Structures are given as structure tokens and as C-alpha cells.
Amino acid sequence: MRDRFGLKMFALVVLVVVSGSHRINAQFIHPKIKSKETTIRTVVVMPAKVNVVRDSMKGPEGMAAESDELSVRVEKMVAEVLSKRKNVTTLPIPGAAAAPADGDSQQKYNVADFQTKFDELLPKIMKKRSDVKKGRFSMGDEVLNLNLEKGADAIVFIRGAGKKLTGGKTAMRWLVGGVVPAYLRLQIGIVDARNGEVLLYTDPDLAGDPTTAIDRLRKALEEGFKKLPEVKG
Amino acid sequence: MFPRKPTNLIVAALCFCVVFTSLGPVTLAQKKTAPVEATPPPVKEEFKFGQVDLEVLEQADLLDVRLERDGLVLADEAANAYLRRIGKSLIPRGLELERVSWRFHILRDPQPNAFALPNGSIYVTTGLMTLLDNESELAAVLAHELTHAMRRHTYMHNRSNRKKFLTMNVMAAVGAYAPGGVVGAVIMVVTTVAPFIMVATIYGYSRDLEREADLKGIDMMISAEYPPEEMVSVMKLLDKDFEGENIRLFYNDHPALDERIKYLSSYLGGRADKVTPQMELHRERAAYFQNVESVMRHDLQLSINAGRARSAVYLAQRLVDFHADSENLFWLAESYRTLGPRSPQLTEKELTNSAKKDAAKKSLKRTNEEEERELLATPAGKENWQRHQQMAEDLYRRALSAENPVPVAHRGLAMLYEKLERGSDAAAEYEKYLELSPTASDRARIQRRIETLKEKVK
């Protein structure tokens, strides 16, 4: 009797530990989207910020060039998935390509400051992701200062962090264990371009080398936007 | 690295103040003006680049590109030229270092900070430039950072880190307490490119390397005729914690403020007495403020955006004390409006390490609007709000009645009235703003607000 009770307790503990260690990837949608009060037809995708580090036996090493490449890839893939799966059109960011020499540093600052504003809001969203469903989070009407094209319905912010293991670290993982395998974890927020409300938050992730897992990335993104209603017609 | 130090070493600081009050500017001016002897900092010419160092260098070059591309570098030519002039005056003549090209940049970041990259790029944040009092203090910061680059500290730090395995743990700690806002943006960029540089950026190098940067920095200051004791003033300034964000972490291995003051004073010895007329000029506050006024205004906008209202009020007040023109009055008004129901200063209890940690955790759980609502539900919050909105209104009015009034003061006033639920007054002020600034970049936002307000009034 005592043995069976011990076994049940052990199973329970294992279940709790396993479920606790797993992040539940989900999508959280604002009630306005659910009730179809707001429809996302066109978006502006802000430059993605995806950081990857190489985890070596001597600590993490920066992968600036690879991170830049991956950021561009994720950004393009998000636009592609939204277009192909949800019929959502992507518009360009006004003045995004302008260099300070063009006398347009103000627009560059605007974009930078909005990215920062999202970075500030993101930890709060992540703390209680389900509150997106209550319409709790907003970036305020300052989003209008971005002066996007009139038809823009929403702004997409993409953040991500990933890790790639070196050969030594991979060997250590197999031999000793206790090393987190390579991964990429994204955080994507879609914000109303008219009033700054967070309309959707999703955090797709994938296992494996983030710099090469292209198909897995596409799949993760498709999964990540599953709940976003498709635009008809 | 010139980070802010979370310290609480009042006794040592007071002792130092007593010593230096007797050596204040006036006294110093009357002292000997003999030529100053200075020893240019010896440079480790024997430094040999290894593969690991070249990788670090490559990451540093990429970091320069990234900071510029992401709109985090201030494109203010006059201010940049000023920074460059001071920086170049500190570099020993004829010094040429392999793979170093000196460049000086201003980072759009309200957190007071500065860092040097191994390729010779020196970054000073708008937050630090706004906090400083004179050119000599800025020279002290630059001399300290230049020494890090000249003495190849980044490479040494990286080599040592690779041996110690510490970086990962430090990064975990950063993750727990990294502040948000623009500060977060810079940290994020630095983290991506070179995690170890990020660690140095936030926590500084090892004690020995920081000490070397302090001491060699003093030599460089003397050579360029900057009063060397200003290095100590900077450290005291950086010890100010307006927002309760300087959390002491286990890994923070910097020499504590009193220890730094002690060894700097001992190193300075009699040399602090030798003051040249040029040194006196470099200590002038008004000249410094004139050169960096545009940076200060830019920083106020960033501070307000990042919700650093207490810092904003302090810094804007300094700016108004220097030059009470319409724009500076407007910034002070904006700062008070942003301060809202918050207290203007943190209490001693709120500045304890545990209270700061609690506040950091709490700030993750609520948005700024929720924080304001919570505060407004308390008598102290209500009282603060009433006082601050009154001050803001008076300041907006003063800004509008000053010479060459800035139209944005109408917008500020409108936002204040909107919060006070004076809809028609708010709409009228918004309209005045748009009338005076027909090409304002926030026109769409303001028009939307006017429409909403008019609908509400109806």
C-alpha cells in the first residue's frame, strides 16, 4: 500500500517537474480581434531583433553577423507567413532606409524609440501573457507618430533569442548532460497602428541550430499565427 | 567602463568633501600656477593579437555598425565635434596603436554610462553628458575610457573571462535586473554582439583594470590641462540614484566609491594643488552647458519616454537654472507632468538594496498607467499629482509667455488638461499647437485626439 502511494507521489512529482520545465507556447488575441471589431489586413513589420549566441566551453560568444542575418530572415518569413496563410499585406516602414546624412535622423530615432517602447512593454506582457486577451497592454496613441501609410492596420514587433552549441559543448551535452540544447525562441507582438493596443502576442520556438533550421522556423511561425483570423477576399 | 556605482559610503565621501572643500575652485585659482608635470600613460606596445582578440575586434566593429544603424547614436554634429575635440586633446601626441582608430560617439540613452570598445570607439550616453557639470568631468570620463582602450583592457578581460566561465552567470543576473527602456535597447544590442562587452558595460572590468583606468586617466587629464580632481567629482555624481535602479549584485566587482576616492586622492597628492588658468576654464559650468544644451534637451525627451521622471525633473531644473528660455521651461513642465503622482525623490528606505529589488520585480507586474492609477488611489499620490500638475501648468504658461515661445508648450498644456478632464480646454490648446506647427510630425496623433475630445464634449 505504502509502495503504491510512494509510486503515485513520484509520478506526480515527475509530472509537475516536466510540465513546469516546459514553456507552453500559445497565442493570445485581443477581444477586438476575436469579436471581429478589428481586422488586420495590412501590417508594417518593424526590423526584427533576434540575438543568437554561440555557447562554447569558454562561455557565450557573440554572433553579430549571424544574428543580423537571422533577424532579416525572420522578418521576411513573418511577412511571408502572414501573406500566404492569412492574406495580410505588408507595407514598408516610411523612411526606414534613410541614413542620417539624408537629414532624416528624426524618423530613424522614431523607429528606434518605438522599438525601445516595445522592449519596455515586452517583459510585462511575458509576465502575464493571457492578459492580452483582456486588452490590458497598449503602447499608446504615440504609434501614430510613426506616420505609417494610412491603410496600415497594425505594427509587428519581433524579438528573439537563440543559442547554438559549439562542437565541444555538444559533446559535453551528450557525455555529461545538463546543457540546454540549441534553440530559437521568438516573441512577436502585433500592435494596433491607430491606438497602440496589443492585438496579438505569440511566442513560437524551435529546437535546433537557429541559423540553419529554416523549415522548422517557417513551421513554428505558421503555428504561432494559427489563431489569427484569415482575411477573406 | 564608467558605470554608476551602487554604494553607500557616506563617511568616506564626507571626509573627502571636507578635504576638497578647502581646495575649492577659488582656493585653487589662488594657488601656484606652475607648469604641470604629467606622465603620459605608458602603452603596452608588446600586446600581441591572437585569434581570440581578432574575433573580439570584429565584434566591436560590428557593434559600431549596429548602434549607428539602430538609431542609438545621436547625430548632432556640433555636440559630436565638441566630444571629439575633448577626446582627441587627451590622447598622448604621436601615440599610434595597432588596430585602434579613435572615434567618439554620443549614445541616445538616458542611463548615465560610458564605454570603450577595443577598436577605439568611445561611447558616452546622453544621460551621462546631461548629468555632468563641466568639461573637466567629461574629460575625466573620456580619459578613463581611453585608458581602457589604450591598455587593451577589453582583450585582457575577454581572455580572463574565457578562463573563468563567469560570463554566463553574470548574464543570468543581468537578465534578472536589466532595466527596460532605452537602457534596455543598448544592453540588448551590446549583448547580441559581444556578451563580454555587455558585462563590462554594465559591471565594469575587474578591480585592477578599473583602478588602472582611474589612475592613468588622471595622468592624461593633467597632460591635457584638465583639473584631475574632477575624476572624483564624476564618481560622486555617478553614485546618485534618482530612480532606485542601481542594484548591487554579487558580481559587481568594482572598487567601491570610498576606496576609489581614497586611492585617487593618494595618487593625486600634491598635484591637485597645481592649477593652471586653462584648468580653471575647463571647470566652467556655463561654457559646458552651452556646448551640450541640445544633448541635454534630447536626453530629457529620452528620460521622459523611459519613465525616468525623477531624473528628468532634476536635470531639467538644472537646465532652467542655466538658461530659462521657452524650450527649457517646456522640458521642466513636461518632466513634472510625467512625474504625476510619484514622489519627486525616493526615500532612504526606498533606496535600500532590497527595496530596489522589490521595486524592479513590481515594475514587471504592472504597466506605467497601472502604477499611476495605484498611486492616485493613495492620499500621498493625490497630493503629489496636484502639486506637480500645478507646477507643470505654471511652467507651460511661463514657456508660452517667454521670448520665442515654443508651440509644443500648447501641446503639453493640452495633455495636462486632458488628464484633468478639461476636454474643451485641451482641444483648444491642441488646435493652437497645430495652428502654430502645421508640419508637426505628430499631427495625425493630435488630430485624432482633438476629434475624440470633441466627440466626448458633444
Side-chain angles (χ1 to χ4, degrees), chain B residues 144-308:
Chain B
H144 177 100
E145 297 306 330
L146 282 164
T147 310
H148 279 315
M150 284 176 190
R151 308 285 293 196
R152 314 286 195 184
H153 285 174
T154 311
Y155 300 116
M156 286 152 74
H157 184 63
N158 183 45
R159 287 177 185 178
S160 147
N161 262 356
R162 286 171 67 83
K163 284 181 198 151
K164 285 191 218 158
F165 281 88
L166 260 178
T167 327
M168 198 61 143
N169 297 331
V170 175
M171 281 177 77
V174 174
Y177 296 108
V182 182
V183 186
V186 172
I187 289 175
M188 197 166 165
V189 171
V190 182
T191 312
T192 318
V193 180
F196 70 92
I197 294 180
M198 184 272 298
V199 173
T201 302
I202 302 168
Y203 298 101
Y205 297 91
S206 70
R207 275 169 189 256
D208 288 344
L209 297 185
E210 288 296 339
R211 186 188 163 98
E212 187 178 42
D214 286 343
L215 300 184
K216 297 302 165 197
I218 278 186
D219 289 341
M220 288 165 78
M221 288 180 77
I222 294 172
S223 296
E225 290 202 62
Y226 283 102
E229 68 277 11
E230 296 293 338
M231 179 76 84
V232 181
S233 313
V234 176
M235 276 164 204
K236 285 185 189 168
L237 271 179
L238 290 171
D239 201 41
K240 284 185 179 170
D241 188 2
F242 300 105
E243 308 293 341
E245 63 197 357
N246 293 353
I247 296 168
R248 189 196 286 270
L249 296 169
F250 173 73
Y251 294 103
N252 194 341
D253 198 27
H254 271 263
L257 178 73
D258 65 335
E259 192 191 322
R260 283 178 112 167
I261 290 173
K262 216 170 164 183
Y263 67 61
L264 279 172
S265 307
S266 135
Y267 187 72
L268 273 169
R271 292 196 288 178
D273 295 353
K274 297 172 185 171
V275 177
T276 65
Q278 189 61 35
M279 283 184 176
E280 278 310 311
L281 280 176
H282 285 153
R283 237 200 292 255
E284 270 188 19
R285 196 176 198 230
Y288 175 72
F289 272 51
Q290 210 160 357
N291 277 303
V292 298
E293 194 175 11
S294 60
V295 177
M296 290 173 159
R297 286 169 172 169
H298 192 95
D299 182 66
L300 283 167
Q301 175 72 75
L302 294 173
S303 294
I304 289 169
N305 288 352
R308 299 168 62 86

Side-chain angles (χ1 to χ4, degrees), chain A:
Chain A
M1 188 69 184
R2 187 180 274 182
D3 278 356
R4 287 186 74 182
F5 179 74
L7 200 68
K8 276 183 187 169
M9 281 305 289
F10 176 74
L12 187 70
V13 168
V14 168
L15 189 73
V16 168
V17 169
V18 169
S19 60
S21 65
H22 250 64
R23 284 175 69 261
I24 300 162
N25 302 312
Q27 299 142 59
F28 302 93
I29 290 182
H30 194 284
K32 279 184 183 173
I33 299 277
K34 258 194 167 164
S35 65
K36 293 189 179 159
E37 190 186 330
T38 303
T39 308
I40 302 173
R41 288 188 178 83
T42 49
V43 294
V44 169
V45 182
M46 297 292 263
K49 289 185 180 179
V50 183
N51 303 333
V52 199
V53 290
R54 188 182 294 114
D55 191 7
S56 77
M57 296 295 284
K58 290 182 176 176
E61 292 163 15
M63 293 175 75
E66 293 88 342
S67 295
D68 281 351
E69 233 170 75
L70 185 61
S71 297
V72 174
R73 188 189 304 152
V74 172
E75 204 180 302
K76 281 184 180 163
M77 213 173 268
V78 166
E80 191 189 307
V81 167
L82 286 175
S83 161
K84 283 188 179 163
R85 301 273 160 176
K86 305 290 166 186
N87 229 356
V88 174
T89 312
T90 300
L91 302 172
I93 308 170
D102 300 330
D104 202 11
S105 41
Q106 191 52 50
Q107 181 60 16
K108 199 171 173 180
Y109 294 163
N110 270 349
V111 172
D113 294 347
F114 272 98
Q115 294 270 40
T116 302
K117 209 173 160 81
F118 182 74
D119 288 333
E120 200 182 42
L121 186 64
L122 187 58
K124 295 172 193 196
I125 298 176
M126 285 165 72
K127 191 86 191 164
K128 208 158 184 211
R129 300 176 297 170
S130 59
D131 277 3
V132 172
K133 293 196 275 188
K134 294 180 191 165
R136 187 183 147 216
F137 303 108
S138 174
M139 288 179 73
D141 65 351
E142 282 165 65
V143 285
L144 290 166
N145 292 350
L146 270 175
N147 293 311
L148 304 174
E149 278 186 35
K150 283 232 164 111
D153 293 319
I155 309 164
V156 183
F157 292 89
I158 307 163
R159 299 292 179 271
K163 194 168 84 168
K164 181 181 174 164
L165 302 185
T166 58
K169 200 81 180 193
T170 311
M172 185 183 157
R173 185 175 167 247
W174 291 115
L175 293 171
V176 187
V179 176
V180 179
Y183 69 88
L184 176 66
R185 192 166 294 150
L186 297 170
Q187 289 111 20
I188 303 175
I190 298 188
V191 169
D192 194 318
R194 293 172 194 97
N195 57 23
E197 282 178 323
V198 178
L199 300 173
L200 179 140
Y201 173 76
T202 178
D203 45 14
D205 59 7
L206 60 96
D209 181 350
T211 57
T212 53
I214 296 174
D215 286 339
R216 258 176 288 169
L217 174 62
R218 185 175 289 111
K219 259 186 198 162
L221 287 173
E222 283 171 359
E223 196 63 32
F225 289 117
K226 210 171 179 180
K227 283 190 186 171
L228 182 71
E230 192 186 335
V231 180
K232 304 281 178 206

